[in-house]
Amino acid sequence: MFQVTINEKGGQGRQESFDKAEITIGRVQGNDIILPKGNISKRHSRIVLKDGKFIIVDLKSTNGTYVNGKKITAPQVVKSSDKIYIGDFTLQLAGQNGASAEAREVSLRARSPVKNDEIDLFGGDAPMGLDDAAPAADPEPAAPALIDDNFDQEFDAPPAEPQSGLPRLSKPAPLEPEPEENPRDHELEAIIEPEPEPKPSGLPRAQMAPARSGASRVRPIPARAKAEADGEPAAGVLIPDAPADLAPAEPPLGVPTLRPNDADEGAPVELAPAPAVVPAAPVPAVVAGASELLPRADALNDLHLEVAESLSLRGRMLAELPGLETHAVNEARSAADRMVAAGLLSQAEDLQILAEEVAARATGIEPLLDLLEDQQVVEIAINHDRQVLADRDGRLEPVDRRLASEAQVVQLIQTLAVLAGAEPDQGLIDGRLRDGTRVVAALPPLSFRGPTVSLRKTTRDFFTLDKLLEYNTISPEMMTFLDHCVRCRTNLLLSVGPGVNATATLNALLAQMPTDDRVVTIERGVELHVLPPRNLVTLEPQGGIPLSSLLAHAVSLQADRAVLGDVSGLDLTAALRTIEGPLQGSVLVYPASSPAEVIEKMAAAVSEDEGLSIDAARALVVRSIPVVLHEARFLDNSRRITVVSEVLIEDGEIRLEDIFTFKAEGVDENLIVTGTFHATGYTPKFLQNLVDRGEAQVDMDIFKV
């Protein structure tokens, strides 16, 4: 049993326990540890518990596996103090309840007297010959480092049987002197932590065994029983297999020597010093960081991103994409050729087919192109059954098409994901296209019934107060009053009920502002649409940047006003104080079912955030927002401003005086909601004060009943 502690950058840590000798780490289901981030490969790494030691192996991941900040290029032993870095995650290992059963078994074998049987850390059990002619040299300790690159083959494959008829001992042949630096020295490092300051054993030196077929491997060889009668068990050395006629009489530099130890963790490894010139077989070194073939899925993703970058697809209109398919094929083919030259793609791969597949992913939006270009369609969706739906009149309804396969839906989502700035295989996607269209999609296995996607387009119409009057959203008297509020730089709060996004009303109020005013819009979705010329700056909260920082930026721009989308859950206090001061004449939106509810909700939020008393919070809300409009949605999907109220405060109590109201009276033969707007007869005090001071000219007859 052992534990893995997992910490995510900027997130909370967790622990997972395992009672087996091998676990895998990756992004998708099926791994023992799932790290659901785009910079994690589907199968990224594995951890093996072998002879009481933890060994981390990178599974040819795209972004690599790091131990203590250094990228590993071969299996490596890790200790509990080591930190494993995989994408945005840090992992640390720890045993539970002492050593594992496997580690204790290895420890018992290490305590037993060793005869002619081989101690094989990689599972081999064939006896190997020894030469007791020379005494063992004093060992030197070495830190754990990379294991031989053939670890995976040795760990998974059964031990090779010795060839019949071949002797296990071979007479050493004359060897050429070793060059000044043996490239193999950097590969043969200990995989078990050494014991500090070992005692010299005085044991006979082991001889290199004859070679067996297959890749070279690191193996510990026990020495024969000691001639001394001190009762200590014999020690062995870790040496690589080599051809028999090149067997050296002494171990090469850095060769670990196995010594017994009574500790429960098993026998540690020590390094024996080498002579000044060590004869060794000329073994070619493994080049660290050598290129490895990418899986085809990863190659497709990389090529897709490169084509999108080279053709600047994210900055183009969607209607342009189909016409860029030929260019995309050429760019993908050139990029694939470079990957072949770098050793990342196989030369046997059909690069033309690969390039065409990449181009289809980069530009393939034909199934939805007509709906994306249809100005009447405000939203498009594809459900898990591959049915396409469109919203033209406030309701998503099926259209006469269904995508042919789940793979086609996935390809379409990958195209839109890259255009929205996300990774093509990202499980959950929430991004925005350059034209403002919002893309929300989910891929399997997160969307287990099948891939789904929704595209919410920005408003194409240029709404004005006149257009709201035409749609019967407001009355003529309301329109005149709102025009006075905007021109007199009066802050407005738009309270919206369920199902209302208030885009049209916000757009109309923005259009009413003087064109020489610099206006900053801050909204979660880029929904507002105005005609030039307009001194307009558009911002969207993203990446953990608080609303207060965006408002400070607006003030730094010397903006005259701000239009704030839904500010619920954001830094409401900063918004109120900013529009109370430098950004007077602003408009903001908050969800609620009535003007009274919206004021109380905002006061409660300010009180909780700032630690103010409820009376102080109410006073701040009233000072900042003198007028509240409430917009509601009716059963026929029509939207109306049902209440316009002035907000007052007296003796710490908030009082709302209704100025205009709408009263529904029923539905006509076409199921259209009917009703009338009314003035209540109340004259707003803030406007009367402006008139009395000569700062505004207002026809007060609009307030008469």
Side-chain angles (χ1 to χ4, degrees):
M1 176 77 72
F2 65 93
Q3 282 185 343
V4 181
T5 302
I6 306 164
N7 291 287
E8 181 180 1
K9 184 189 299 182
Q12 296 183 348
R14 71 180 194 270
Q15 281 191 340
E16 296 191 17
S17 300
F18 301 96
D19 192 11
K20 54 184 179 178
E22 178 177 344
I23 62 172
T24 59
I25 305 168
R27 188 182 70 244
V28 300
Q29 297 290 335
N31 292 286
D32 298 293
I33 297 178
I34 300 174
L35 306 178
K37 282 296 184 71
N39 55 4
I40 308 295
S41 296
K42 294 179 180 178
R43 283 178 53 83
H44 200 106
S45 309
R46 67 177 172 134
I47 298 174
V48 180
L49 176 60
K50 185 66 177 174
D51 291 340
K53 300 296 175 181
F54 294 108
I55 302 168
I56 181 76
V57 183
D58 186 77
L59 300 178
K60 298 182 180 180
S61 62
T62 301
N63 295 318
T65 303
Y66 295 76
V67 175
N68 296 329
K70 183 178 180 181
K71 186 175 182 179
I72 66 172
T73 57
Q76 180 169 332
V77 168
V78 290
K79 300 178 293 186
S80 59
S81 59
D82 293 332
K83 291 186 177 181
I84 303 169
Y85 297 93
I86 299 178
D88 294 336
F89 298 85
T90 304
L91 286 70
Q92 282 188 280
L93 303 170
Q96 290 183 347
N97 303 325
S100 66
E102 187 174 0
R104 288 195 292 271
E105 181 182 350
V106 174
S107 299
L108 292 176
R109 292 202 305 265
R111 295 193 191 102
S112 304
V114 180
K115 301 184 184 300
N116 288 338
D117 293 335
E118 173 188 313
I119 300 176
D120 187 354
L121 296 182
F122 297 96
D125 56 3
M128 303 188 74
L130 302 172
D131 183 3
D132 52 6
D138 292 336
E140 294 178 358
L146 296 182
I147 303 173
D148 184 78
D149 287 344
N150 297 300
F151 169 84
D152 279 344
Q153 297 177 4
E154 296 164 19
F155 188 83
D156 297 327
E161 296 294 336
Q163 298 179 11
S164 60
L166 293 179
R168 297 301 296 172
L169 294 176
S170 178
K171 181 179 179 180
L175 301 176
E176 296 180 4
E178 185 186 16
E180 292 183 5
E181 181 178 0
N182 184 357
R184 192 65 171 168
D185 293 344
H186 299 289
E187 301 177 45
L188 302 178
E189 298 179 26
I191 62 170
I192 305 180
E193 187 174 357
E195 176 186 359
E197 299 185 4
K199 300 178 182 179
S201 63
L203 299 180
R205 191 179 302 274
Q207 176 183 348
M208 185 169 287
R212 293 197 298 263
S213 60
S216 65
R217 49 189 292 178
V218 177
R219 304 172 64 86
I221 314 281
R224 289 180 178 176
K226 297 189 337 177
E228 294 79 7
D230 54 7
E232 290 188 19
V237 292
L238 287 172
I239 57 177
D241 291 347
D245 57 348
L246 296 178
E250 295 182 343
L253 178 64
V255 170
T257 302
L258 186 66
R259 288 182 55 84
N261 190 287
D262 290 334
D264 196 40
E265 291 296 327
V269 169
E270 304 158 0
L271 294 184
V277 177
V278 182
V283 180
V286 177
V287 180
S291 299
E292 297 175 342
L293 293 180
L294 287 177
R296 195 174 192 277
D298 293 342
L300 279 170
N301 290 341
D302 292 350
L303 291 170
H304 186 178
L305 293 172
E306 188 163 345
V307 168
E309 182 68 23
S310 61
L311 296 181
S312 302
L313 296 184
R314 290 171 182 154
R316 297 179 181 269
M317 300 300 292
L318 293 176
E320 298 180 61
L321 294 182
L324 297 172
E325 184 175 2
T326 301
H327 297 290
V329 171
N330 295 335
E331 290 291 336
R333 180 60 189 268
S334 299
D337 289 337
R338 292 193 295 270
M339 293 179 71
V340 170
L344 299 176
L345 272 180
S346 171
Q347 295 182 355
E349 181 78 43
D350 190 329
L351 299 186
Q352 186 62 28
I353 293 179
L354 185 68
E356 291 173 358
E357 187 173 345
V358 171
R361 284 178 50 167
T363 63
I365 60 166
E366 289 86 350
L368 302 182
L369 185 58
D370 60 325
L371 295 176
L372 289 167
E373 293 178 336
D374 189 342
Q375 298 298 319
Q376 302 300 319
V377 174
V378 297
E379 185 175 358
I380 307 167
I382 303 176
N383 288 339
H384 59 81
D385 59 358
R386 309 189 308 280
Q387 174 65 50
V388 179
L389 302 95
D391 178 358
R392 287 187 174 89
D393 300 311
R395 183 175 302 172
L396 272 172
E397 296 181 343
V399 297
D400 56 348
R401 77 188 65 175
R402 185 190 302 269
L403 270 65
S405 65
E406 182 174 303
Q408 189 179 13
V409 182
V410 171
Q411 177 178 304
L412 181 63
I413 291 174
Q414 289 172 331
T415 303
L416 296 169
V418 171
L419 295 176
E423 293 291 329
D425 59 348
Q426 192 170 315
L428 289 177
I429 298 163
D430 188 350
R432 194 168 297 283
L433 304 181
R434 190 62 179 267
D435 66 351
T437 300
R438 186 176 183 181
V439 180
V440 180
L443 290 170
L446 298 177
S447 178
F448 67 94
R449 293 187 184 276
T452 61
V453 61
S454 171
L455 293 93
R456 180 75 184 182
K457 297 196 290 186
T458 58
T459 302
R460 301 291 187 230
D461 292 334
F462 177 59
F463 277 94
T464 61
L465 291 178
D466 289 331
K467 202 156 194 176
L468 294 183
L469 179 62
E470 179 185 341
Y471 285 179
N472 201 30
T473 302
I474 57 177
S475 66
E477 293 78 13
M478 281 184 182
M479 184 180 72
T480 303
F481 173 70
L482 293 176
D483 177 60
H484 287 315
C485 289
V486 171
R487 296 185 181 279
C488 295
R489 303 184 65 84
T490 302
N491 293 330
L492 299 174
L493 170 63
L494 181 56
S495 164
V496 294
V500 178
N501 58 19
T503 302
T505 304
L506 274 183
N507 222 129
L509 294 172
L510 172 60
Q512 205 67 21
M513 296 176 184
T515 56
D516 56 350
D517 278 2
R518 170 170 284 183
V519 181
V520 174
T521 66
I522 303 176
E523 48 180 339
R524 284 196 176 96
V526 185
E527 301 286 345
L528 298 177
H529 178 67
V530 295
L531 295 177
R534 161 67 72 183
N535 190 354
L536 183 68
V537 178
T538 301
L539 302 176
E540 182 176 11
Q542 283 189 4
I545 303 298
L547 178 63
S548 57
S549 297
L550 298 179
L551 289 169
H553 179 70
V555 174
S556 300
L557 290 173
Q558 297 185 337
D560 297 294
R561 308 167 187 254
V563 176
L564 310 178
D566 182 4
V567 294
S568 60
L570 300 178
D571 194 346
L572 180 60
T573 306
L576 294 177
R577 287 176 173 163
T578 304
I579 67 174
E580 181 189 10
L583 297 182
Q584 287 186 348
S586 298
V587 183
L588 67 158
V589 178
Y590 204 93
S593 60
S594 67
E597 182 186 6
V598 73
I599 296 298
E600 286 300 326
K601 286 175 66 174
M602 294 177 70
V606 170
S607 176
E608 182 178 354
D609 292 342
E610 296 295 309
L612 301 176
S613 67
I614 190 64
D615 289 342
R618 287 170 177 167
L620 175 60
V621 172
V622 173
R623 287 198 313 270
S624 305
I625 305 168
V627 177
V628 178
L629 295 71
H630 181 72
E631 184 171 347
R633 177 181 179 180
F634 292 85
L635 293 178
D636 60 354
N637 291 321
S638 63
R639 294 162 177 80
R640 291 181 178 84
I641 303 297
T642 58
V643 182
V644 178
S645 303
E646 183 180 26
V647 186
L648 304 170
I649 188 167
E650 295 178 355
D651 300 327
E653 294 294 327
I654 293 178
R655 180 165 59 90
L656 284 96
E657 294 289 350
D658 293 343
I659 305 171
F660 301 101
T661 61
F662 172 81
K663 183 178 180 181
E665 297 171 347
V667 295
D668 60 15
E669 63 277 6
N670 297 318
L671 301 180
I672 303 298
V673 174
T674 61
T676 55
F677 293 96
H678 299 278
T680 63
Y682 173 80
T683 302
K685 291 184 177 181
F686 81 91
L687 195 58
Q688 185 66 60
N689 292 335
L690 291 176
V691 172
D692 293 343
R693 294 197 301 265
E695 298 180 19
Q697 295 181 353
V698 180
D699 181 7
M700 291 299 179
D701 290 342
I702 62 174
F703 303 114
K704 293 181 179 179
V705 179

